[in-house]
């Protein structure tokens, strides 16, 4: 077993910790930071859903900016990469096949939810139907991404050699450029930060529990 999870604890003889960290981190880190971005979109959806439930006014553009990030970064890039470079080799190795099948179904369900959310927001229909779809997306994808982080990626890490993981890090970088062009991860984080600012939730200080 070699890679992101295990190498950090047990660097093999003859390899420095810096080399170990660099070689193993690329691919899995690229995918896992996508989950951080996903969580921020879910938090936006939560807040907009709460506002809709209270009958408060919300600008549909905030929903549309968020669905754009989900569609472009998370679906076109992140999930595409998961299915091609993580799920496929795991299926070929008969590793976690049943849950991978379910995760792929969830990718498709999220795609349809995103389409419906986008259509309703474009039509200015900020109603209970939209509220339901926002809630369904968050409920499904909180567990989905946590499952990938704690079950699927550690199992994938165990299947791959250190070199395979290092090579995959480079492949994902190239794919990111090919699929997203000059818009890298940071530009999508900026887009989400802009929505958070408009909602008044940008900055960790907004989230510190009051005791
Ligand atoms: Fe996924
Ligand atoms: Fe994912």
């Amino acid at each position: 077993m070699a890679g992101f999870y295990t190498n950090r604890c047990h660097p093999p003889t003859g390899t420095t910790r810096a080399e170990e960290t660099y070689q193993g981190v690329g691919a899995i880190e690229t995918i896992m930071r996508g989950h951080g971005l996903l969580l921020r979109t879910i938090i936006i959806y939560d807040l907009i859903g709460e506002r809709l439930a209270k009958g408060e006014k919300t600008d549909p553009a905030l929903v549309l900016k968020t669905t754009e990030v989900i569609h472009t970064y998370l679906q076109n890039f992140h999930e595409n990469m998961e299915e091609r470079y993580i799920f496929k080799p795991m299926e070929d190795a008969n590793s976690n096949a049943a849950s991978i099948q379910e995760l792929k179904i969830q990718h498709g369900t999220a795609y349809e939810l995103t389409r419906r959310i986008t259509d309703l927001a474009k039509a200015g229909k900020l109603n209970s139907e939209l509220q339901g779809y926002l809630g369904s997306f968050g409920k499904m994808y909180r567990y989905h991404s946590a499952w990938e982080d704690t079950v699927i990626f550690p199992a994938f890490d165990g299947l791959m050699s250190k070199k395979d993981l290092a090579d995959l890090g480079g492949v994902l970088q190239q794919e990111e450029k090919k699929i997203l062009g000059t818009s890298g991860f940071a530009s999508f984080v900026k887009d989400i930060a802009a929505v958070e600012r408009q909602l008044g939730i940008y900055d960790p200080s907004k989230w510190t529990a009051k005791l």
Side-chain angles (χ1 to χ4, degrees):
M1 196 179 200
F4 178 58
Y5 295 88
T6 51
N7 287 345
R8 294 191 146 201
C9 304
H10 307 291
T13 316
T15 311
T16 67
R17 181 165 292 276
E19 284 168 345
E20 277 304 303
T21 304
Y22 175 73
Q23 287 177 341
V25 159
I28 303 287
E29 189 177 67
T30 296
I31 297 297
M32 286 177 83
R33 70 183 183 175
H35 289 170
L37 188 63
L38 170 66
L39 185 54
R40 286 171 72 172
T41 67
I42 290 172
I43 290 166
I44 288 169
Y45 276 2
D46 286 348
L47 191 71
I48 291 175
E50 283 167 24
R51 288 187 176 187
L52 294 179
K54 288 187 212 158
E56 291 174 7
K57 270 202 154 188
T58 302
D59 184 353
L62 298 177
V63 178
L64 292 171
K65 277 184 197 166
T66 308
T67 56
E68 177 62 28
V69 171
I70 290 171
H71 182 64
T72 308
Y73 188 83
L74 290 160
Q75 294 176 331
N76 289 352
F77 174 64
H78 174 100
E79 292 177 358
N80 183 357
M81 296 301 99
E82 278 178 350
E83 294 195 9
R84 283 165 60 190
Y85 295 108
I86 296 178
F87 293 176
K88 178 70 170 65
M90 290 183 74
E91 286 172 322
D92 290 347
N94 202 22
S95 169
N96 291 271
S99 65
I100 284 175
Q101 180 58 25
E102 198 61 36
L103 294 174
K104 289 200 293 189
I105 290 169
Q106 291 178 354
H107 285 174
T109 305
Y111 192 91
E112 175 60 20
L113 280 169
T114 302
R115 190 188 67 74
R116 292 184 190 188
I117 290 166
T118 304
D119 286 352
L120 286 170
K122 274 187 182 163
K125 292 181 179 170
L126 300 188
N127 53 21
S128 59
E129 190 184 4
L130 176 67
Q131 188 194 333
Y133 292 147
L134 297 175
S136 296
F137 183 93
K139 191 172 180 185
M140 178 172 73
Y141 261 8
R142 276 192 168 89
Y143 200 85
H144 178 106
S145 55
W147 185 266
E148 287 176 344
D149 286 346
T150 57
V151 176
I152 299 301
F153 301 158
F156 177 72
D157 183 74
L159 283 177
M160 296 291 113
S161 71
K162 189 160 61 76
K163 183 176 180 314
D164 288 339
L165 279 175
D167 290 348
L168 183 55
V171 169
L172 293 189
Q173 275 179 10
Q174 285 172 2
E175 291 278 13
E176 187 173 326
K177 274 199 194 112
K178 198 163 81 185
I179 294 168
L180 301 174
T182 51
S183 306
F185 176 74
S187 76
F188 293 95
V189 174
K190 261 189 205 162
D191 291 345
I192 285 303
V195 176
E196 291 174 339
R197 278 196 184 89
Q198 284 182 268
L199 289 169
I201 58 168
Y202 176 79
D203 197 279
S205 65
K206 305 283 182 193
W207 294 98
T208 307
K210 305 280 184 287
L211 299 176

